[in-house]
Amino acid sequence: MAPCYILLLLLAILLSTYPALFCTATPENDDFIRTSCGATRYPELCYSTLSPYAADVGNSFPQLVTAALRVTLDGAVSTCGAVRSLARAAPRRMKGSELAAGAVSDCVGNMKDSVDQLKDSMAGPDFAMELGNMQTWVSAALTDEDTCVDGLEGSAMNGKVRDEIRRRVVWVAQLTSNSLALINRL
């Protein structure tokens, strides 16, 4: 079963990473994304991460939200793995600080929760009925990401490790914020 899961995951990554291989974007699609991203807190990040999906999105706001959630989930999964790797390496760099090790462990847990909530937010067949749940789950994911960053502040952790974890989690929190802003416009 594991090889099939890996194959499906690789296919999903290929399809989500290279949508231009299968569809052609138009200037109108691109303008739609740019305009829609203007209502987010991080419009340039929104546009740069969603413009590759212009052909898939067209002028459909639900498709734009779905693409934003997909990008956010992919970013959260990647960041969760990176934080987990840094957490494994971090004890050697924390100079015996149990508090710092606890902060990193808590951050890993927060990121796992964030990933789970973002997975839950992916809309089912009835987009309108799922809207309230999507808002709740994405908002909860953003809270988990913020909690991770807050927990790192003032810890005795090696500055490079803390800064790398913070940089990655803040990026995902910005993606999550953009997704929530787009959901709230539905």
Side-chain angles (χ1 to χ4, degrees), residues 90-104 154-158:
R92 294 186 297 269
R93 299 177 183 155
M94 288 191 232
K95 301 174 186 163
S97 171
E98 290 180 27
L99 194 59
V104 174
S155 72
M157 183 186 323
N158 174 300

Side-chain angles (χ1 to χ4, degrees), residues 72-73 76 114-122 138 141 145 176:
T72 302
L73 177 59
S114 177
V115 166
D116 289 342
Q117 289 152 345
L118 289 167
K119 285 179 183 176
D120 289 342
S121 74
M122 298 301 287
V138 175
E145 295 153 7
T176 305

Side-chain angles (χ1 to χ4, degrees), residues 32-33 35-40 46 50 56-69 127 131 134 178-186:
F32 172 73
I33 292 174
T35 300
S36 298
C37 285
T40 67
C46 178
L50 295 179
D56 294 337
V57 168
N59 288 323
S60 168
F61 212 79
Q63 289 294 340
L64 180 63
V65 168
T66 299
L69 288 170
F127 205 82
L131 183 58
M134 288 169 56
N178 285 345
S179 290
L180 185 58
L182 294 172
I183 290 167
N184 288 336
R185 288 193 59 207
L186 281 174

Side-chain angles (χ1 to χ4, degrees), residues 8-72:
L8 287 174
L9 181 62
L10 290 173
L11 180 60
I13 291 169
L14 175 68
L15 291 173
S16 66
T17 306
Y18 300 105
L21 292 175
F22 308 100
C23 304
T24 304
T26 66
E28 294 82 21
N29 303 141
D30 196 62
D31 288 343
F32 172 73
I33 292 174
R34 185 175 295 284
T35 300
S36 298
C37 285
T40 67
R41 191 167 185 183
Y42 307 98
E44 290 304 315
L45 177 63
C46 178
Y47 176 74
S48 69
T49 57
L50 295 179
S51 61
Y53 300 91
D56 294 337
V57 168
N59 288 323
S60 168
F61 212 79
Q63 289 294 340
L64 180 63
V65 168
T66 299
L69 288 170
R70 188 178 321 125
V71 166
T72 302

